[in-house]
């Protein structure tokens, strides 16, 4: 069985980061170790959330694992709590990169043209350093714009998205997949550039509702798919369809809370796709 390690926060309530990565990656038949980088009472879209930064745990955990000869088939990073923690994450990646494993970075820091509330204007530069270590980065359009110093706009042409992908690869990563782009109004999906400079894309119907945490579900499903031997486009398609089904399902539940999607009920469908 493949083994990945994910570095991101624990939002105790909110269906994002580690509480999404663990169930999704496990359901896909892949072992998921964790490095919790912070404990928050909820994700940062709630008012008054608490935060306990766990930066001081990253180095001792790394040292212990190295002493035990632990290896990972992938290192997958998500939401990081501070610029310093981005630097520590670069060190963590360097400690566990072997040349034949994968580094996958979801630069979870922004959406809809804005940085998340916890981040200041210097954060994207620190996250760009983490991206530079990656085999694959998985930003949404807003994150891709922030990482590459490109002004954000609502509508992007295919040529502009291709330029964003080229700029992402210029950060040092081998391939990039931009989420939330479907090539036109009423569509969503992804556009990617692989390590040979080949562009890949997928487009499907954009549902008229927006939920928090869908990026984490997408990235976790891509990681699971890649670890199960799928190619980049195939892994992206499974992940995009899964997110779309989760959104559809959640919007049909009258009692669904606002803070995340009800992905749990759809895990059997995701597992079925890997058969
Ligand atoms: O879904 C990304 C995410 C992860 N972790 C925390 C967040 C967010 C997005 O807001 O606040 C703590």
């Amino acid at each position: 069985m493949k083994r990945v390690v994910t570095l991101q926060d624990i939002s105790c309530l909110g269906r994002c980061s580690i509480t999404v990565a663990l169930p999704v990656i496990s359901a896909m038949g892949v072992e998921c170790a964790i490095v919790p980088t912070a404990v928050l009472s909820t994700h940062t879209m709630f008012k008054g959330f608490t935060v306990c930064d766990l930066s001081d745990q990253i180095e001792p955990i790394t040292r212990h694992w190295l002493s035990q000869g632990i290896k990972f088939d992938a290192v997958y990073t998500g939401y990081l709590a501070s610029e310093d923690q981005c630097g520590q994450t670069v060190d963590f990646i360097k400690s566990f990169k072997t040349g034949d494993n994968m580094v996958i970075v979801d630069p979870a820091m922004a959406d809809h043209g804005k940085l998340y509330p916890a981040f200041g204007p210097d954060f994207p530069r620190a996250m760009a350093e983490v991206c530079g270590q990656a085999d694959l980065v998985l930003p949404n359009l807003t994150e891709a714009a922030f990482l590459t110093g490109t002004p954000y706009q609502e509508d992007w042409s295919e040529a502009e998205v291709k330029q964003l992908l080229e700029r992402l690869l210029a950060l040092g990563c081998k391939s990039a997949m931009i989420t939330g782009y479907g090539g036109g109004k009423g569509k969503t999906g992804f556009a990617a550039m692989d390590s040979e400079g080949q562009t890949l894309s997928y487009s499907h119907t954009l549902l008229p509702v927006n939920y928090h945490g869908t990026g984490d579900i997408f990235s976790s499903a891509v990681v699971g798919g890649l670890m199960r031997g799928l190619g980049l486009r195939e892994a992206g398609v499974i992940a995009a369809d899964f997110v779309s089904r989760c959104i559809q399902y959640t919007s049909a539940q009258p009692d669904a809370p606002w803070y995340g999607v009800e992905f749990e009920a759809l895990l059997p469908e995701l597992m079925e796709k890997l058969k």
Side-chain angles (χ1 to χ4, degrees):
M1 184 177 274
K2 299 276 189 192
R3 178 190 306 121
V4 313
V5 58
T6 190
L7 271 87
Q8 39 188 329
D9 68 282
I10 296 178
S11 286
C12 298
L13 176 111
R15 287 190 171 122
C16 69
S17 41
I18 285 181
T19 64
V20 161
L22 266 175
V24 170
I25 292 172
S26 299
M28 295 177 87
V30 176
E31 179 186 348
C32 184
I34 60 169
V35 178
T37 54
V39 177
L40 292 85
S41 52
T42 61
H43 60 57
T44 61
M45 300 296 129
F46 280 83
K47 283 204 177 74
F49 59 88
T50 68
V51 190
C52 173
D53 190 295
L54 297 177
S55 295
D56 64 354
Q57 294 302 304
I58 300 175
E59 209 244 310
I61 291 172
T62 303
R63 252 190 289 122
H64 181 228
W65 284 349
L66 290 174
S67 79
Q68 300 300 303
I70 305 293
K71 294 200 164 59
F72 297 104
D73 297 293
V75 177
Y76 158 39
T77 74
Y79 184 101
L80 301 172
S82 65
E83 285 145 49
D84 275 359
Q85 212 170 70
C86 290
Q88 287 183 300
T89 300
V90 169
D91 295 340
F92 180 91
I93 290 170
K94 286 179 177 166
S95 297
F96 289 100
K97 209 171 184 173
T98 60
D100 52 28
N101 61 4
M102 278 195 94
V103 177
I104 300 157
V105 173
D106 176 350
M109 62 178 180
D111 208 357
H112 308 294
K114 282 201 202 119
L115 287 172
Y116 291 148
F119 303 132
D122 293 333
F123 189 81
R125 211 168 314 134
M127 185 58 92
E129 294 289 320
V130 185
C131 291
Q133 296 294 321
D135 293 292
L136 171 65
V137 294
L138 297 165
N140 60 33
L141 276 164
T142 302
E143 290 156 350
F146 273 112
L147 287 167
T148 59
T150 309
Y152 180 76
Q153 54 197 54
E154 281 296 318
D155 298 310
W156 301 80
S157 69
E158 212 169 299
E160 287 166 338
V161 170
K162 184 158 183 248
Q163 192 175 50
L164 277 178
L165 287 166
E166 286 163 350
R167 288 178 180 169
L168 286 167
L169 296 206
L171 299 176
C173 46
K174 297 205 180 90
S175 52
M177 179 177 274
I178 296 177
T179 60
Y181 178 74
K185 284 237 176 307
K187 291 180 183 167
T188 189
F190 62 77
M193 190 171 280
D194 68 14
S195 50
E196 270 102 56
Q198 200 89 15
T199 52
L200 317 165
S201 62
Y202 180 57
S203 175
H204 58 107
T205 305
L206 174 68
L207 299 165
V209 273
N210 225 306
Y211 290 105
H212 198 72
T214 50
D216 297 347
I217 296 177
F218 180 85
S219 295
S220 299
V222 168
V223 170
L226 291 173
M227 289 298 101
R228 290 297 305 272
L230 303 182
L232 182 58
R233 186 172 186 281
E234 254 180 313
V237 169
I238 281 202
D241 288 346
F242 179 55
V243 169
S244 179
R245 288 284 296 127
C246 290
I247 293 173
Q248 243 173 33
Y249 178 87
T250 305
S251 63
Q253 308 304 310
D255 62 344
W258 65 271
Y259 54 72
V261 297
E262 301 207 345
F263 67 92
E264 297 87 347
L266 284 306
L267 288 173
E269 275 187 24
L270 179 63
M271 291 155 80
E272 197 61 33
K273 290 252 172 89
L274 289 170
K275 280 194 178 149

